[in-house]
Amino acid sequence: MKTISTFLNEVIEEENVFIPVTDGIRLAARIWRPKGSESAPVPAILEYIPYRKRFGTAVRDEHTHPYLAGHGYACIRLDIRGSGESEGVLRDEYLQSELDDGVAALHWISDQPWCDGNIGMMGISWGGFNGLQIAAMQPEPLKAIVTMSSTDDRYSDDIHHMGGCLLGDNLSWASVMFSYNTMPPDPALVGSRWRDMWLERLDNSDLWLKNWLQHQRRDAYWRHGSVREDYSAIKVPVFAVSGWADGYTNSVFRLMENLDVPRKGMVGPWGHIYPHFGRPGPAIDFLSELLRWWDRWLKGKDTGVEDDPMITAWMLDSAPPNPEYDHRPGHWVGETIWPAPDITFERFTIAEGRNLRPEKKIPSQKEEEVNLDVQSPVTLGLHSGKWCSYANGPDLASDQRADDGGALVFQSDPLTEDMYILGAPEVELELASDCPVARECA
């Protein structure tokens, strides 16, 4: 145990605490809390992810959690079963056992003498996913969540599939988790058990990609953990955050539209990263935003968050293509409700000459249908950037002209005034292929 003295409250850090959950399993946690909280209990904030608290997210954790602890919160960074020093085996994402363990951990935290019984969950990516999913289970101690770079729809809007299409990130993500799952626990924290724990993981964690590829339709496997199946199950306030360079922007708008709880959405220029580290910039003082949120919903203070716009978004200005942006020019806008009543919708139709015409300008008589063929090179899309960018080069999109040369490109007439798009454009296409399976035709 060590003490940190650079905040409003002196902070105690406990490097490794084992939390009993389900099936006799113990999960490993790193805890920061105000000194004296044993006699003056405080609210707690849980971040629950599999990225090894002593390795994968340590630098980020040491920036974020001590700040919140120094402002009067107990912060718990908990490794999911089978990761880091947590016991058991991690067999897949968002299994019911993971969610049940999370609920058990919430109750354990609530029962500690340093906790006043009010708990929030926060996290980016995996921790944003299971925050939503556990909120839908309605555990009594959970009073609010912050979900960043996550999704409400595990099938049609996640790293595996998007709109029914298999993503290349499905393979890269499986490789990342395979590398994490094959790491041993730290012997300095678990002692001589480390070898047996490691061998158990090697023998039983399996290849996740195999499982994912066995579910190529929207079946019960993907519906599990997709909170859009029943938004009404979430009863606590939700703060949803993403960035335009991230892969998980759409869910912020869907959550604002469909939840019926106090809620707030934010979309910045960033990639898949906490906004106080935001790349591309500008980054923001997101720690202060977190503090305003938690002070309102865990301490009952009037911080003004309920008067904030429902959606706050960084509207990107036009900029030359660059796979390594440090900063995206633009400006902040806010909408009090979503969908905003003053947003207008414009529908374009594909016309002759590969043109996009506003639907109202299409002649009333039915135009002759035109079939357009394309046989794109297999390298098409290499310049589009990574689907889920971390804003590390070359994650972001570069010059699109090489891809345009191998694609069908449809353009509107030159715009006579600026057009701002907030939300997600939609396209409806009728497609046919002359091959039953890709690459089987000569």
Side-chain angles (χ1 to χ4, degrees):
M1 182 182 296
K2 67 180 180 181
T3 302
I4 306 170
S5 305
T6 57
F7 300 102
L8 295 176
N9 296 286
E10 199 168 9
V11 174
I12 294 171
E13 178 189 336
E14 298 175 88
E15 184 181 26
N16 192 68
V17 176
F18 285 109
I19 297 178
V21 287
T22 62
D23 307 326
I25 293 292
R26 298 184 306 161
L27 305 186
R30 188 177 182 185
I31 299 175
W32 299 261
R33 56 185 176 84
K35 187 176 182 180
S37 52
E38 303 93 334
S39 56
V42 297
I45 301 165
L46 172 65
E47 184 174 15
Y48 179 42
I49 50 180
Y51 305 127
R52 303 176 66 89
K53 61 182 173 57
R54 213 180 191 199
F55 164 59
T57 62
V59 173
R60 183 182 82 193
D61 297 342
E62 289 162 4
H63 189 91
T64 303
H65 292 295
Y67 175 89
L68 294 171
H71 287 81
Y73 292 90
C75 292
I76 301 92
R77 182 32 201 95
L78 183 65
D79 275 335
I80 292 170
R81 69 163 65 197
S83 65
E85 286 66 58
S86 291
E87 298 170 349
V89 177
L90 184 56
R91 301 177 188 273
D92 202 348
E93 305 169 315
Y94 323 122
L95 295 175
Q96 190 59 49
S97 58
E98 172 189 330
L99 307 184
D100 292 340
D101 286 349
V103 171
L106 289 172
H107 285 286
W108 182 90
I109 295 165
S110 178
D111 290 340
Q112 299 312 297
W114 40 258
C115 180
D116 68 4
N118 297 300
I119 306 176
M121 287 188 70
M122 75 173 193
I124 183 169
S125 198
W126 196 310
F129 276 65
N130 62 27
L132 282 170
Q133 295 161 7
I134 290 175
M137 296 173 67
Q138 303 176 20
E140 193 280 330
L142 185 61
K143 300 301 191 292
I145 67 169
V146 178
T147 178
M148 290 164 276
S149 300
S150 68
T151 189
D152 54 345
D153 189 332
R154 292 186 57 217
Y155 177 70
S156 67
D157 204 2
D158 191 9
I159 202 166
H160 309 289
H161 299 87
M162 196 165 191
C165 296
L166 184 67
L167 293 175
D169 294 67
N170 189 57
L171 174 59
S172 63
W173 179 236
S175 303
V176 167
M177 288 312 302
F178 182 80
S179 67
Y180 269 100
N181 291 338
T182 54
M183 292 181 184
D186 192 330
L189 298 181
V190 301
S192 60
R193 297 186 301 140
W194 75 269
R195 182 178 175 84
D196 291 338
M197 293 173 67
W198 185 31
L199 291 175
E200 182 185 17
R201 295 176 187 184
L202 293 176
D203 289 341
N204 297 292
S205 62
D206 210 350
L207 295 173
W208 293 9
L209 181 65
K210 179 181 68 174
N211 200 24
W212 298 341
L213 291 176
Q214 289 173 344
H215 298 275
Q216 297 195 24
R217 298 291 186 272
R218 188 184 187 87
D219 57 13
Y221 177 84
W222 300 113
R223 289 194 294 271
H224 167 77
S226 294
V227 300
R228 73 177 303 176
E229 296 289 320
D230 182 11
Y231 288 111
S232 67
I234 296 177
K235 305 293 187 184
V236 297
V238 175
F239 185 7
V241 182
S242 188
W244 294 121
D246 185 27
Y248 292 102
T249 313
N250 297 330
S251 62
V252 174
F253 296 94
R254 287 196 300 266
L255 289 168
M256 296 304 105
E257 180 176 359
N258 292 288
L259 290 176
D260 189 23
V261 295
R263 58 201 184 276
K264 177 178 175 178
M266 178 182 290
V267 179
W270 324 292
H272 198 71
I273 190 170
Y274 269 96
H276 48 297
F277 304 116
R279 298 192 312 270
I284 65 170
D285 181 11
F286 188 64
L287 294 179
S288 293
E289 290 298 312
L290 286 174
L291 196 59
R292 291 178 66 229
W293 180 260
W294 295 128
D295 279 354
R296 171 65 185 94
W297 300 114
L298 298 185
K299 292 185 176 180
K301 295 182 179 180
D302 182 5
T303 61
V305 295
E306 290 163 288
D307 299 323
D308 291 347
M310 181 177 286
I311 288 276
T312 304
W314 182 259
M315 296 299 292
L316 300 173
D317 292 341
S318 178
N322 184 342
E324 298 185 48
Y325 284 109
D326 291 322
H327 178 91
R328 278 304 306 263
H331 60 279
W332 289 103
V333 299
E335 296 288 353
T336 56
I337 61 172
W338 189 263
D342 56 347
I343 288 179
T344 59
F345 293 85
E346 189 162 0
R347 185 179 178 90
F348 290 84
T349 301
I350 293 174
E352 289 185 287
R354 300 189 186 180
N355 291 318
L356 286 179
R357 299 272 175 79
E359 193 171 51
K360 59 188 176 184
K361 295 183 180 179
I362 298 294
S364 57
Q365 66 270 23
K366 181 177 176 60
E367 293 187 353
E368 182 179 352
E369 289 188 357
V370 177
N371 292 324
L372 298 173
D373 298 330
V374 64
Q375 190 171 9
S376 299
V378 294
T379 56
L380 189 72
L382 288 179
H383 296 273
S384 64
K386 193 175 187 298
W387 169 79
C388 186
S389 166
Y390 290 83
N392 301 316
D395 276 6
L396 301 174
S398 58
D399 194 323
Q400 299 293 290
R401 287 176 293 183
D403 281 349
D404 290 349
L408 292 175
V409 178
F410 300 90
Q411 300 185 98
S412 71
D413 293 332
L415 301 177
T416 58
E417 57 186 18
D418 291 341
M419 176 186 292
Y420 290 100
I421 300 175
L422 183 58
E426 296 181 0
V427 61
E428 295 179 13
L429 300 172
E430 291 186 12
L431 304 172
S433 173
D434 60 353
C435 292
V437 179
R439 296 190 177 185
E440 283 196 357
C441 297

